[in-house]
Amino acid sequence: MRSDEIRAYVETRLRSAGGQKVELFTQAALLRCWRASQGIPRVINVICDTAMMLAFAEGSDRITVSV
């Protein structure tokens, strides 16, 4: 997947999972995720899932690069 497609992909996945807040990830966090995953959707899913669990544990309502 290209870097300009990741936001739409992640937001679609969040909506299909019943997410209310789809703009959960900052653009910088999504770009970092794309780089780390090399654009592979399955790896993007794992990274985003882990980031959401860490953000929840920290009490954060937005996922930034620091997460």
Side-chain angles (χ1 to χ4, degrees), residues 3 6 28-39 44 47:
S3 63
I6 191 167
L30 287 174
L31 185 57
R32 174 80 54 95
C33 176
W34 177 79
R35 283 185 189 138
S37 69
Q38 299 178 354
I44 291 170
I47 292 170

Side-chain angles (χ1 to χ4, degrees), residues 3-61:
S3 63
D4 62 334
E5 299 173 314
I6 191 167
R7 177 166 295 285
Y9 174 75
V10 170
E11 289 180 357
T12 299
R13 298 280 299 170
L14 287 169
R15 269 193 297 281
S16 69
Q20 304 276 325
K21 184 177 180 181
V22 292
E23 290 189 14
L24 189 61
F25 292 82
T26 65
Q27 186 62 34
L30 287 174
L31 185 57
R32 174 80 54 95
C33 176
W34 177 79
R35 283 185 189 138
S37 69
Q38 299 178 354
I40 300 168
R42 183 178 295 184
V43 179
I44 291 170
N45 295 344
V46 172
I47 292 170
C48 289
D49 183 55
T50 303
M52 287 187 294
M53 286 190 289
L54 290 170
F56 176 76
E58 294 175 356
S60 177
D61 61 349

